[in-house]
Amino acid sequence: MSKIEKEVQIKELLQNDIKLPDVVNARLEEAYGKIRTDKVHMKRLKEYKRKRLYSRLGAAAAVVCIIITLSGVLYVNPALARDIPLLGNIFGRLQSIRDESTYPDKDRTAYQNIEEHSKAVTEPGNVAEDQGITVTVSDAYCDGYVLYFTVSLRTDNEELNTADYLMMLSYKEDDPIAYYPEIGINDEEVSGVIQLQKSENGIYAGLVRIGENYLKAGGFSEEMTVNLDLNAVGAHMLGEEEQPDIPDFSRVGFKSVRGNWPLRFTASMDTSGNKMAVPNLEVNGFTLEKAVQTPSNLHITISVPEQYSEEGLAMVLTDEVGNRIYQESGQRGASAWDLVFDHSDANQFVLQVIDKNAGVDENGNLVVLAEIPISMD
C-alpha cells in the first residue's frame, strides 16, 4: 500500500467515531441520545468548580477581545460555474449527490458555507480538454486551515459515463503505475485525492480539500498559485470487486483514459468568516490552546497532562443544548491534540475530556476528567 493510499485510509478512519471500549461507547451513544430530555446526565465537575470556571471565562472575555470578524464575509453570487449551462451550480450538484446517497449522514461537509465564501475561478488555465474529456476548476476558498476547490468533468466517452465515480490520476515518466496527482501550491507539492462523483446530466463533480498540515512551509500564504498536472482518468463502480487481471485496479478501475489536463488557478486566503475563542483556558491540567470556528469546521488545539496517554482519552464536543459535534480528523500527540470537528452553527460549546480506561462509575456515568467551555460570542 502506497503512502497516499495509507493517508486516504487514515482519512476514512478519522471520519468514523472515536473507537472506545464497548461499554464506554454504548454509554456515549445512549447519553448523547437522551441528554436533551434530561434522562441521562454526565458526571461533571462539582458545581462550585463549574461556577468558578464559567466566571473565569466571563472575566477573561471582558479583558481579551474575542475575534469575530463577520463584517468582511465575502459572498460570491453567482459563481462562474453557474453561468455555464453544461455545468450548472457545482455546489448544488455536490449537495444533491450527498442527499441522494445511501448514507447521506456520512458526509457532513458544510457545502453551503464553503460555497458562500468561495471565489469564482475565472482566469485562463482553469479549463483543460483532451481525449473528449473536459476538466474544470470553478470555485476556490481558503479559510487559513483548509484550501477547497471544486473540480468537474464532462466527457462523451460512453464507457466512462457508465461509472459511478472517476479518479483523476497522474503517470510519472517511464513508470507504468498510476499515482494520485501531485498538487502544486506555490513552490510546494502535495499528494491529493481527486474523486469525482456522478451527478445529473452525466457531469462528474468533487470538492478537493487540502489541510495546512500537508504543507511543510508552515501553512498557507495570503496568495497562492495552484497547479494540477492530470494525465489519466480511472472509472469505478460503487461496491466493485477487485479485478486481478487489471494492474493497479484500485486506482485505474475498470476503464482508464490517458491524456493531458493541466490546470492552473490562483486562490486567496480569506479568514473573514472565522471566529476565535479566548485561548489558554485551563481545567484540571487540560489547556485549551486554540479554538477557531471557520465556516466549514471547528479547529481545536488542547494540551494534555503528561500522565495521560493518547489511547486513554476521548474528546467529546457538544453544543449548548447537548448535540454532539463529531470529530472529522485530528493529530494526536503526547502533549497536544489538534482536533477538527464538523461545522456547527452554535456559538457555545463544551469539550469534555473522558477517561476511557476508567470505564463507567458505580452509577453508570462516564468519568469526565475536564469540562472546558468554549464561547464564540
Side-chain angles (χ1 to χ4, degrees), residues 45-60 281-283 373:
L45 303 176
K46 292 182 179 180
E47 189 62 27
Y48 77 92
K49 290 185 179 180
R50 288 169 53 81
K51 288 181 178 178
R52 288 182 60 193
L53 179 59
Y54 281 94
S55 65
R56 285 177 57 196
L57 179 63
L281 182 62
E282 185 271 330
V283 181

Side-chain angles (χ1 to χ4, degrees), residues 129-134 153-161 202 204:
E129 185 174 4
D130 191 20
Q131 304 297 320
I133 299 171
T134 301
L153 181 151
R154 63 178 184 269
T155 179
D156 55 11
N157 186 301
E158 294 184 358
E159 193 169 1
L160 282 183
N161 275 325
Y204 291 83

Side-chain angles (χ1 to χ4, degrees), residues 55-66 278 375 377:
S55 65
R56 285 177 57 196
L57 179 63
V63 177
V64 183
C65 177
I66 302 177
V278 176
S375 176
D377 285 336

Side-chain angles (χ1 to χ4, degrees), residues 23-34:
V23 62
V24 179
N25 191 58
R27 288 297 295 149
L28 273 173
E29 294 304 319
E30 179 184 357
Y32 287 102
K34 298 180 179 179

Side-chain angles (χ1 to χ4, degrees), residues 73-76 82 91 95 98 108-119 140-143 148 207 270 273-275 293-298 342-346:
V73 169
L74 172 65
Y75 181 68
V76 181
R82 300 175 210 167
F91 282 101
Q95 292 182 76
R98 173 176 61 187
R108 294 185 284 266
T109 305
Y111 289 117
Q112 184 174 353
N113 289 353
I114 297 171
E115 175 186 12
E116 289 178 357
H117 290 77
S118 293
K119 289 184 179 180
Y141 168 54
C142 179
D143 59 17
Y148 299 94
L207 179 67
D270 176 12
N274 297 357
K275 306 177 187 179
Q293 187 180 42
T294 72
S296 55
N297 291 102
L298 178 56
D342 292 332
H343 172 76
S344 170
D345 290 325

